[in-house]
Amino acid sequence: MTDKTKKTSQTKKDIEKEIEEKAELIAEKEIEKDLIGEKVDEEKEKKSESDRERGRFVRKSREETEREAIAAWEPKTTLGMEVKIGKIKNIDEILDSGRKILEPEIVDSLINLKSDLISIGQSKGKFGGGKRRAWRQTQRKKKEGNVPTFSTMAIVGDEKGHIGVGSGKAKETLPARDKAIRKAKLNIIKVKRECSAFDCDCSELHTVPFKVTGKAGSVSVTLIPAPQGTGLVVGKELKKVLILAGIKDVYSKTSGSIRTTFNTVKACIEALKKTNMEIKKWKQN
């Protein structure tokens, strides 16, 4: 063989080796990519599973927070201890005896409450307009600038003759709401319901027992018994109060500065208080 043929054969072998090495590197890289892809998929699956578990945990916690809070509750008053032991099993025993409730867990452990917020504030809009909202915002001028505070009004009730109203104020909306709900639970009252309309004769407790009037500030609210099927002939915000109190049919008459929702709701609560007070007076006489 000549020198030229030897050189060409060596160059061919070298090229073939380089090609084989490159092919091996490409195959190794593809294997590494496949392994990395599998790891990424596994991590994604694990993350999705953990997210699902967290979501389940959040759902469970929302449903069971009240039960867990009641179970972990350590009462500080004698009334709370009696409720915790099981000596008092009905909230009417507390309300009829006139004992003061100082712990919201007492109410939570005796009845199932629903809550709602009253629209006492107004969102910003052009030329003073804007939709009604649950948060009333005020500002105070300080050295660091304008410091806003939020106040709200909450109502709680079991739709079976128990209702409570409270107001809360804080620098943020959620703490204000929690304060209002807590105070509403402490201010819970009993409402007497009857079928007392002159053109209705049924055995259901669907309206007020007689004509009652409540007043707060310049606002006065009168509730009149109505027959079954009439509905709640009252303002939008008062409907929330009466629904949670368990009243389904009623006529109403309002006077004064009704736009101040705070006083309107207070007047309605005063009228509902009188349903129980008047019956006590009638029984005493």
Side-chain angles (χ1 to χ4, degrees):
M1 292 177 67
T2 59
D3 295 333
K4 287 182 180 180
T5 54
K6 285 180 182 179
K7 286 180 182 179
T8 52
S9 62
Q10 285 177 358
T11 53
K12 284 179 182 179
K13 287 178 182 179
D14 294 334
I15 291 165
E16 288 175 358
K17 282 182 181 180
E18 287 179 1
I19 291 165
E20 287 175 0
E21 288 175 357
K22 286 180 180 179
E24 287 176 359
L25 290 170
I26 290 164
E28 286 176 359
K29 285 180 181 179
E30 287 178 355
I31 291 164
E32 286 178 358
K33 283 180 182 178
D34 294 334
L35 292 170
I36 291 164
E38 288 176 0
K39 286 180 181 178
V40 169
D41 293 334
E42 286 177 1
E43 287 177 359
K44 283 181 180 178
E45 287 177 1
K46 286 178 182 178
K47 282 182 181 179
S48 62
E49 286 177 2
S50 63
D51 291 336
R52 287 172 189 169
E53 287 176 359
R54 284 176 187 171
R56 288 174 190 168
F57 177 72
V58 169
R59 286 173 191 168
K60 284 182 182 178
S61 65
R62 283 176 183 173
E63 293 173 358
E64 296 177 359
T65 43
E66 291 183 0
R67 293 179 185 175
E68 289 175 359
I70 293 166
W73 168 46
E74 294 180 0
K76 297 178 181 178
T77 59
T78 53
L79 180 61
M81 289 174 186
E82 289 175 5
V83 172
K84 184 77 172 178
I85 292 164
K87 190 176 179 181
I88 297 173
K89 295 182 180 179
N90 193 356
I91 196 166
D92 292 337
E93 295 178 19
I94 301 168
L95 298 175
D96 293 338
S97 62
R99 299 178 72 179
K100 196 170 183 180
I101 299 171
L102 298 173
E103 295 177 275
E105 291 84 2
I106 293 170
V107 182
D108 289 330
S109 59
L110 293 175
I111 54 175
N112 295 322
L113 290 173
K114 296 179 182 178
S115 62
D116 201 352
L117 297 177
I118 302 293
S119 299
I120 61 171
Q122 187 176 358
S123 60
K124 293 178 181 178
K126 276 191 173 183
F127 308 108
K131 291 183 179 179
R132 302 286 288 176
R133 64 173 190 167
W135 316 107
R136 183 169 65 185
Q137 184 177 354
T138 55
Q139 287 185 347
R140 191 173 182 181
K141 187 74 73 174
K142 291 190 175 181
K143 288 182 180 180
E144 58 269 20
N146 294 329
V147 179
T149 55
F150 298 92
S151 58
T152 187
M153 193 175 193
I155 50 172
V156 295
D158 62 347
E159 298 182 355
K160 294 179 183 177
H162 298 98
I163 188 75
V165 176
S167 59
K169 190 175 182 181
K171 291 182 179 179
E172 294 180 2
T173 55
L174 295 181
R177 183 196 64 184
D178 295 339
K179 282 183 183 179
I181 291 171
R182 183 180 179 278
K183 287 182 182 178
K185 289 176 183 177
L186 299 178
N187 296 331
I188 200 157
I189 62 167
K190 184 181 176 182
V191 179
K192 188 70 177 176
R193 300 172 297 154
E194 291 288 345
C195 174
S196 55
F198 70 92
D199 52 351
C200 182
D201 186 15
C202 65
S203 58
E204 291 188 14
L205 307 174
H206 62 91
T207 187
V208 291
F210 40 78
K211 185 178 177 180
V212 286
T213 303
K215 191 173 181 183
S218 67
V219 182
S220 65
V221 176
T222 304
L223 301 177
I224 306 163
Q228 197 172 17
T230 304
L232 299 172
V233 188
V234 295
K236 187 178 178 182
E237 299 304 319
L238 294 184
K239 277 183 183 179
K240 297 177 183 179
V241 179
L242 295 174
I243 286 167
L244 289 178
I247 294 169
K248 299 175 184 176
D249 307 290
V250 77
Y251 294 118
S252 70
K253 182 182 176 183
T254 55
S255 63
S257 182
I258 304 164
R259 290 184 68 185
T260 54
T261 314
F262 198 86
N263 285 341
T264 307
V265 172
K266 275 191 171 182
C268 183
I269 292 295
E270 289 297 321
L272 293 174
K273 276 183 186 177
K274 287 183 179 179
T275 59
N276 206 17
M277 290 168 66
E278 293 291 335
I279 284 172
K280 282 183 180 177
K281 287 179 183 177
W282 179 74
K283 283 181 179 178
Q284 286 173 3
N285 294 328

